[in-house]
């Protein structure tokens, strides 16, 4: 097994909730994946609010999806 050393700031250490100085690669990947997912969600929420999509009801969303599917079906 190989060992990899990664230096991170105290802020990053706290941000990721690290409690020990060693973790497995799969744990590191999971931490990074969770952070990227959180960032993507934040960006999605920001864009939805910017373009008014956050105000859509489930009915509105279902109508939009249905219209797109029908359009795609008619164009194939």
């Amino acid at each position: 097994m190989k060992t990899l050393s990664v230096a991170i700031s105290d802020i990053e250490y706290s941000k990721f909730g690290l409690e020990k100085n060693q973790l497995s690669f799969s744990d590191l990947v999971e931490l990074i994946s969770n952070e990227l997912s959180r960032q993507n969600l934040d960006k999605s929420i920001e864009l939805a609010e910017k373009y008014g999509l956050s105000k859509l009801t489930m009915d509105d969303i279902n109508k939009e999806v249905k219209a797109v599917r029908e359009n795609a079906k008619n164009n194939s």
Side-chain angles (χ1 to χ4, degrees), residues 9-63:
S9 70
D10 290 339
I11 293 171
E12 291 169 322
Y13 192 87
S14 295
K15 177 181 177 181
F16 285 100
L18 297 172
E19 298 174 357
K20 51 188 175 181
N21 289 332
Q22 292 186 3
L23 63 144
S24 69
F25 182 73
S26 59
D27 288 341
L28 177 63
V29 169
E30 184 178 347
L31 283 171
I32 293 170
S33 178
N34 288 343
E35 176 60 18
L36 291 174
S37 295
R38 188 198 58 75
Q39 289 177 10
N40 287 331
L41 178 59
D42 288 346
K43 185 66 174 176
S44 295
I45 291 169
E46 177 186 325
L47 290 172
E49 290 172 352
K50 178 179 179 180
Y51 294 106
L53 300 174
S54 61
K55 296 178 179 133
L56 290 175
T57 65
M58 281 307 293
D59 272 349
D60 294 335
I61 294 169
N62 287 331
K63 287 176 188 175

Side-chain angles (χ1 to χ4, degrees), residues 5-9 12:
S5 176
V6 178
I8 64 171
S9 70
E12 291 169 322

